[in-house]
Structure formats: C-alpha cells, structure tokens
Amino acid sequence: MAKLTAWVVTILGVLLLLPLIGVDQLGTVTDGILGWLIAIGVLVIGLTKLARNYKLMKKR
C-alpha cells in the first residue's frame, strides 16, 4: 500500500506541475507562486516516499 501511495502522490505532483510549465489543457488549481510551492512540495513528498519504499535512500 505504501508503494501505491508513493506513486499516486508522485503522479499528482507531476500533474500539478504540468500547467505551470505550459501544458494547460487540464487547467490549473492555483496560480502564481502558491501553485509552484504546492506542486513542488507534493512532488518532493512523492519522490521521497518512492525512494524510501524502493530503498534508494540510506536508513538512519
């Protein structure tokens, strides 16, 4: 289940970034700096979860 959640969050982050880089067929949830912060934040969370689930990061 953790891997599925990690993939969903990562895909959500990519979908949030698409309108901000010019792919605007899907529309945008927020504009300006807030949109960038939300999209990048979600993407970082998803990638971190993926790395942890696939053991790409060192365990502390």
Side-chain angles (χ1 to χ4, degrees):
M1 187 66 172
K3 288 181 182 179
L4 177 64
T5 304
W7 277 109
V8 169
V9 171
T10 303
I11 291 170
L12 181 62
V14 170
L15 288 175
L16 285 169
L17 278 176
L18 286 176
L20 298 172
I21 59 173
V23 182
D24 56 358
Q25 285 81 8
L26 300 174
T28 183
V29 178
T30 57
D31 289 325
I33 191 73
L34 184 61
W36 281 100
L37 290 175
I38 292 171
I40 291 172
V42 168
L43 188 59
V44 166
I45 291 169
L47 292 174
T48 304
K49 284 180 170 275
L50 281 174
R52 188 176 346 135
N53 288 326
Y54 288 102
K55 298 184 189 340
L56 298 176
M57 296 175 65
K58 288 184 178 180
K59 290 185 178 179
R60 294 182 184 187

